[in-house]
Amino acid sequence: MSSFEQGGSAVPDATSAGPAPAWASHRTPSADRPERVTVAVYTADPVLRLGVVQQLRQRPEIDLLADADAERAEVSLVVVDQVDDDVAALLHRLRHNTATRTGLVVATLGSGSLQRVIECGVAAVLRRAEADQDQLLRLVLAIANGEGVLPGDLLGKLLSHVGSLQRSALDPRGLSLSTLTTREADMLRMVSEGLDTAEIARKTSYSERTVKNILHEVITRLQLRNRAHAVGYALRNGLI
C-alpha cells in the first residue's frame, strides 16, 4: 500500500497534536445531535472506498466532504486490510489534525497492531466484516460525540496489555504471573503454611533433596533472599 487518498486529495497535515483516544465500551451515540457529521474517507483501495461512501451517502446524518474540504472533517475514516507502516504513517498524520478524530475500519487486527493503533491516536475500531450501514453510522456518530469504540475481544486484549505494562512498571525485574510452575506454587504454598522440607517431601512424594532444589531454583530465579522472601513475593503477586 503506497498511498492513501480521500477522493484524490492529499492527507491533511497540521502542527498541533490531537487529544489522546478515550477507549470505552460501545455506547449508543446521542440521537439528539442536530448537525450533520462531516466525514472524510481514506483508503488506498477504490473498491473499499466506493463501498463505504455508498453506505454513508444514504444517511441524512452524514455529510461526506469533497476533496478540498477533507482537512476540516470531524471524522476521518481509514479503511484498510491491515495496519502496516503506510497505514501507521497515515494515522499519525491524521492525529496531528485537530479538526478531526480518526476511526479505523480494518479487516484484521492482531494484538501487536492494537498497540500500534492506540499509539496513533485512533478513537474507534470496527472490523470490516461487521461494517454494514448501521454499524458504520454508529461508529461515525460515536466518534463525533467523543466516544471510544472497540470490539469486545480487542478491549479484553487492551486491558490485558495495560495490566502487563502496570506489572512491569511495578516489578523492575519484569516478572509476570507465569513465573511459577504449578509444582513450585504448591511448594511455596506449603512453606507459607509452616511445613518444613521433610513434611513437604512426604506430602508431594518427592525426596527432600528434590524439594530443596525446587525451592532453591525459585529463590534464585526470582532473585529473592530466602524462603520467607519467596513466600511474601508470591503472595503479593497473587501466585499462591
Side-chain angles (χ1 to χ4, degrees), residues 129-153:
E130 302 168 357
D132 58 19
Q133 186 181 100
D134 289 338
Q135 290 295 334
L136 283 171
L137 177 64
R138 187 172 300 171
L139 182 77
V140 168
L141 295 182
I143 295 171
N145 286 329
E147 301 175 11
V149 181
L150 196 64
D153 62 314

Side-chain angles (χ1 to χ4, degrees), residues 5 43-53:
E5 297 180 347
T43 178
D45 187 333
V47 175
L48 290 181
R49 172 178 165 75
L50 180 61
V52 172
V53 167

Side-chain angles (χ1 to χ4, degrees), residues 71-191:
E71 65 180 20
R72 67 174 179 83
E74 293 177 75
V75 175
S76 293
L77 282 186
V78 177
V79 187
V80 295
D81 291 320
Q82 60 186 357
V83 178
D84 56 18
D85 290 342
D86 289 329
V87 174
L90 170 68
L91 294 175
H92 273 298
R93 292 198 295 273
L94 288 172
R95 184 179 188 179
H96 289 289
N97 179 3
T98 57
T100 193
R101 298 183 81 237
T102 303
L104 179 68
V105 181
V106 62
T108 58
L109 186 67
S111 55
S113 298
L114 178 59
Q115 179 180 354
R116 198 176 193 185
V117 163
I118 294 170
E119 292 171 350
C120 291
V122 170
V125 175
L126 176 66
R127 286 198 173 90
R128 266 189 18 217
E130 302 168 357
D132 58 19
Q133 186 181 100
D134 289 338
Q135 290 295 334
L136 283 171
L137 177 64
R138 187 172 300 171
L139 182 77
V140 168
L141 295 182
I143 295 171
N145 286 329
E147 301 175 11
V149 181
L150 196 64
D153 62 314
L154 293 182
L155 179 60
K157 291 179 181 179
L158 174 60
L159 294 176
S160 296
H161 177 68
V162 170
S164 176
L165 291 178
Q166 290 175 335
R167 288 193 296 272
S168 296
L170 292 173
D171 188 342
R173 292 184 296 271
L175 301 174
S176 70
L177 300 186
S178 62
T179 52
L180 293 182
T181 66
T182 301
R183 183 174 66 172
E184 291 168 344
D186 288 342
M187 288 193 181
L188 279 182
R189 191 175 296 107
M190 287 182 240
V191 172

